[in-house]
Amino acid sequence: MGLDVCPGHLRGLLQESVIASAPVFAGTSMRVSRLMLVTLRETPAEAEITSHKLLLRAGYIRRLSSGIYAYLPLLWRVLQKITAIVRQEMDATGALETLLPQLQPAELWERSGRWAGYTAGEGIMFHLTDRQGRELGLGPTHEEVITTLAADLLRSYRQLPVNLYQIQTKFRDEIRPRFGLMRGREFIMKDAYSFHGDEDSLRQTYSEMDLAYRRIFQRCGLRTVAVEADSGAIGGSASQEFMVTAEAGEDLILTSADGSYAANQERAVSVPPEAVPLASGARAGGAGEPLSTPGQSSIEQLCGAHGFEAGQLVKVLLLLARCADGQLQPLLISLRGDQQLNEVKLANAVSALLAESHGALLSIDPLTPDLVRNDKLPLDLGAIPFGYLGPDLADAVLAGDPSIRDGASGALPSASGTRLVRSFLRLTDATAAELAAFVCGANARDGHRVGASWAGLGLRPEPLDLRAAQSGDRCLHDPDQCLQSARGIEVGHIFQLGRKYSEALEARFTNESGAEEALWMGCYGIGVSRLAQAAVEQHHDADGICWPEAIAPFEVIVVIANTQEAVQVELAETLYAELGAAGLEVLLDDRSERAGVKFKDADLIGIPWRVVVGRGAATGQVELVRRAGGEKRELAASALRAVLEAEIVRGRAGVPAQA
Ligand code: ATP
Ligand code: MG
């Protein structure tokens, strides 16, 4: 695929530094009869995507509850292999392994300003009150804990830089746990946190981690793309995600054809398609000419009936932002009719405007009758002509029923501190702000205005970037190229955090000139359990999983075609012992099942090499099958060990197998 955006100068480094791995399980062999293996012929109803189905069917995982899975022995071997690769590459960068508490006092999160955002609204932190009445959170991430330790332990520039990592379970009460291990509520993560005396040192470690991540994913046999990412709730400046490209991915990635630009759509920028000016008949410069548009409340209806282009329209969205201090701020968002809202960009813009005075932004929801009803908001949405809104919609529509004021009639209990702001925060995307004349709603049912201008509406919008870049848009860095899209699974994320947490949690050190200053920080995550499933999503066929050799639970499966045949049993046992003694990881399928059943299971669980001991056993012949691609060869049993050793050592060194 043309998606490898690994820059040329990094590619060389990557190849040089492939570390021949010390296999974690060298020589550990096992009989399938002892493996508690339960494979399923039917696809379990709970699974939607292929990798989830295959992990369930092949006996790798079982679901205990929503987003909570048991890792069965086969998967545990895969996870330990991934972990070993991650550990080796982290250690090679000089990072120190540690293990931090999962139970985290609320007080730390209050100090960083994240408690409310992580526990209220759409917050994802499981939290509880202990028997002393103290609040605790179950670690979704560890910035607060590690920064508190850094404040205690790091005193002088002489101790810097340091990078600490851990590999352990994380807890997140995801809004939509799904796709098995892809989005669990309990999952395994490697997280690392670095501390520095200055920004250059942070950048240096960030690029070392970038390289280490590329090596990790390459060694795990994954094709990944590094993309510019949004820094989200975690804060900070530069950040990059590593995406496993796969159709089932939840993220949309936009890349330029030459590979020099790649970004998560949440963050991506582009040149918007040019807008076609309104026909000369429509006079610009005023509040627009009224146009009767009965029943034409959608862009398609309006364009269909009057021949407008979507890019000549300004559409207006009505949303409600909730802040940690209880403020409910109505938002009026204006976008060019042919553009879509990027919710992440919007949340960042709203946070930047409100967070300082009103605390963390908890959520942004469409202002709908359901929301008004469920939240008992003192608003009369009937007074708002949805489908016919203009950017100059008057704040008066938020007055609601004058008999219901804040805190009165139980509509908004003042005890909860909730407060509805009775004026809009108006935000306008640049593509809309730049239109000289446009069509927009008349703020009255069944009517629009044609040829309106911002000045004519009495508005002076600040142009913001709120639109979603799309596949097909021209690239900013080179308008001759267009953005292409692909789906991706985020397996890793690296951030330059800066001093956000060290300032909030007072983690300071003494610099070379004897002055105290806040530490610079970076943080670096890999979703270990998600990575295991992403590998299946990228490596499977119609018959089952095709594990990359480096992370397969076993390297070889020896299948006895007919356990009634003493010759077959004897030869298989000999090979099993011989291969195991040679340090290979071998499964022996010694079950008294039919050969066909055992072959199907071997394909399903995806062991890279299958040795079939069947009729040829009488003359010392076996069949060797490569799982990926299905290539078969007959060979003398006596030659098997040498052939496999050559193949598997090659696999371990990260050289892609040839199908
Ligand atoms: P996402 O955007 O997918 O929710 P995130 O950006 O919140 O993930 P980070 O905080 O960057 O995730 O966590 C580091 C890594 O942990 C991610 O790159 C991902 O691989 C993994 N991860 C995050 N959430 C989950 C989850 N619910 N289940 C499994 N792995 C996860
Ligand atoms: Mg992330």
Side-chain angles (χ1 to χ4, degrees):
M1 295 186 59
L3 277 171
D4 181 6
V5 292
C6 176
H9 69 282
L10 293 182
R11 213 167 271 146
L13 274 174
L14 274 176
Q15 273 149 16
E16 275 163 36
S17 60
V18 168
I19 300 172
S21 77
V24 247
F25 295 109
T28 56
S29 298
M30 203 170 288
R31 289 166 193 275
V32 175
S33 58
R34 306 292 312 138
L35 200 58
M36 233 176 59
L37 181 70
V38 179
T39 56
L40 311 173
R41 291 283 158 254
E42 302 297 318
T43 298
E46 70 181 86
E48 291 165 64
I49 62 172
T50 309
S51 53
H52 186 196
K53 290 177 190 165
L54 288 175
L55 287 179
L56 282 167
R57 282 188 50 211
Y60 282 90
I61 56 173
R62 281 293 182 272
R63 177 182 179 274
L64 199 62
S65 173
S66 166
I68 305 178
Y69 286 84
Y71 310 133
L72 300 182
L74 278 178
L75 187 76
W76 186 235
R77 289 177 67 102
V78 172
L79 292 173
Q80 284 186 268
K81 287 192 170 182
I82 297 170
T83 300
I85 292 172
V86 170
R87 188 171 275 130
Q88 277 179 356
E89 294 293 348
M90 285 295 113
D91 293 347
T93 68
L96 299 167
E97 187 165 2
T98 185
L99 192 62
L100 302 171
Q102 321 239 38
L103 277 172
Q104 308 186 4
E107 193 246 342
L108 296 186
W109 287 72
E110 307 256 346
R111 287 177 66 198
S112 70
R114 292 207 293 181
W115 179 257
Y118 267 76
T119 56
E122 291 174 1
I124 47 136
M125 181 152 62
F126 288 104
H127 51 105
L128 57 117
T129 309
D130 69 14
R131 64 176 73 238
Q132 264 98 33
R134 285 186 292 242
E135 281 192 292
L136 298 160
L138 213 44
T141 178
H142 278 77
E143 284 78 13
E144 281 75 1
V145 171
I146 195 93
T147 311
T148 305
L149 285 172
D152 180 12
L153 300 170
L154 300 175
R155 299 287 165 83
S156 156
Y157 71 93
R158 289 196 191 86
Q159 296 169 284
L160 303 174
V162 285
N163 192 2
L164 290 156
Y165 77 95
Q166 59 172 349
I167 302 171
Q168 65 160 217
T169 297
K170 290 279 183 282
F171 299 91
R172 294 187 180 182
D173 196 359
E174 296 280 357
I175 295 169
R176 264 182 297 286
R178 57 182 191 159
F179 302 155
L181 307 183
M182 291 291 191
R183 187 166 296 284
R185 295 199 298 158
E186 180 179 329
F187 59 96
I188 301 175
M189 194 200 286
K190 184 286 299 180
D191 45 335
Y193 306 87
S194 65
F195 295 91
H196 311 264
D198 56 49
E199 198 172 8
D200 277 350
S201 165
L202 165 59
R203 288 211 190 98
Q204 169 76 25
T205 298
Y206 181 81
S207 57
E208 284 163 15
M209 294 301 274
D210 178 4
L211 280 177
Y213 272 43
R214 290 169 196 262
R215 287 196 295 267
I216 288 167
F217 300 132
Q218 188 193 51
R219 286 183 58 192
C220 289
L222 294 174
R223 293 186 300 277
T224 57
V225 190
V227 303
E228 282 180 23
D230 178 65
S231 298
I234 210 161
S237 49
S239 103
Q240 183 174 282
E241 287 165 342
F242 294 84
M243 297 285 184
V244 167
T245 48
E247 268 312 302
E250 287 189 279
D251 286 276
L252 190 72
I253 316 167
L254 294 170
T255 52
S256 62
D258 68 356
S260 65
Y261 181 77
N264 190 316
Q265 193 194 30
E266 292 178 350
R267 153 94 189 192
V269 288
S270 66
V271 182
E274 231 153 273
V276 182
L278 271 178
S280 51
R283 263 190 305 118
E289 299 288 330
L291 179 70
S292 171
T293 53
Q296 295 156 18
S297 57
S298 74
I299 292 188
E300 295 70 38
Q301 287 165 333
L302 206 54
C303 292
H306 304 278
F308 300 130
E309 305 243 354
Q312 297 171 326
L313 273 51
V314 168
K315 64 179 170 190
V316 174
L317 310 175
L318 200 50
L319 307 167
L320 185 73
R322 281 170 213 273
C323 297
D325 73 344
Q327 164 152 301
L328 301 176
Q329 173 65 62
L331 308 174
L332 200 68
I333 313 298
S334 298
L335 292 169
R336 205 171 80 187
D338 61 341
Q339 298 302 307
Q340 302 305 323
L341 178 65
N342 179 324
E343 292 175 16
V344 173
K345 290 181 182 176
L346 175 69
N348 290 342
V350 172
S351 268
L353 291 166
L354 300 181
E356 195 144 321
S357 40
H358 298 287
L361 174 67
L362 302 185
S363 63
I364 297 182
D365 302 295
L367 193 49
T368 58
D370 275 354
L371 184 87
V372 168
R373 200 174 318 113
N374 295 340
D375 284 46
K376 303 196 179 68
L377 296 180
L379 274 178
D380 174 16
L381 285 196
I384 302 181
F386 286 101
Y388 303 91
L389 302 183
D392 55 341
L393 181 67
D395 290 338
V397 299
L398 297 171
D401 180 344
S403 67
I404 310 175
R405 298 312 315 179
D406 298 358
S409 314
L412 273 183
S414 48
S416 75
T418 314
R419 190 171 63 86
L420 177 69
V421 180
R422 304 284 182 168
S423 60
F424 288 114
L425 180 62
R426 292 168 203 266
L427 301 176
T428 308
D429 181 63
T431 51
E434 281 155 12
L435 290 176
F438 49 86
V439 179
C440 66
N443 294 324
R445 257 172 255 290
D446 298 336
H448 280 82
R449 290 167 287 178
V450 183
S453 73
W454 292 101
L457 298 181
L459 298 168
R460 274 200 301 154
E462 182 200 342
L464 298 171
D465 179 18
L466 301 175
R467 56 181 273 275
Q470 310 271 10
S471 153
D473 286 358
R474 282 172 295 128
C475 298
L476 269 185
H477 76 285
D478 173 7
D480 286 339
Q481 294 187 56
C482 288
L483 290 176
Q484 309 171 340
S485 67
R487 300 220 69 92
I489 301 163
E490 179 194 327
V491 287
H493 198 165
I494 58 176
F495 293 87
Q496 291 179 30
L497 288 174
R499 310 214 259 193
K500 175 179 158 142
Y501 295 94
S502 54
E503 274 165 1
L505 293 152
E506 291 169 68
R508 313 181 147 274
F509 73 104
T510 309
N511 65 20
E512 271 177 81
S513 30
E516 285 235 318
E517 57 174 305
L519 289 158
W520 290 85
M521 283 180 68
C523 75
Y524 319 91
I526 291 184
V528 172
S529 44
R530 181 185 284 183
L531 190 159
Q533 188 173 326
V536 176
E537 199 57 48
Q538 212 170 52
H539 298 279
H540 66 265
D541 61 18
D543 299 319
I545 302 171
C546 308
W547 287 110
E549 256 170 33
I551 62 171
F554 290 89
E555 293 163 331
V556 186
I557 181 165
V558 177
V559 181
I560 310 173
N562 183 350
T563 48
Q564 305 299 316
E565 293 286 338
V567 197
Q568 293 183 20
V569 174
E570 198 177 316
L571 180 58
E573 289 282 354
T574 308
L575 288 173
Y576 176 56
E578 184 192 352
L579 298 176
L584 300 176
E585 301 161 28
V586 193
L587 264 181
L588 176 67
D589 198 343
D590 55 342
R591 295 174 300 170
S592 54
E593 300 279 354
R594 282 182 296 113
V597 169
K598 292 194 274 195
F599 295 161
K600 273 208 158 61
D601 277 349
D603 280 348
L604 183 61
I605 64 179
I607 308 301
W609 296 95
R610 179 169 92 202
V611 177
V612 182
V613 184
R615 288 202 193 94
T619 55
Q621 290 288 303
V622 294
E623 186 187 52
L624 180 62
V625 187
R626 186 198 287 272
R627 176 67 187 85
E631 169 212 336
K632 288 184 182 171
R633 53 188 128 154
E634 289 282 333
L635 73 173
S638 55
L640 182 68
R641 181 176 58 102
V643 169
L644 279 174
E645 271 178 336
E647 293 281 7
I648 289 171
V649 169
R650 197 174 67 191
R652 276 182 196 153
V655 180
Q658 281 133 34

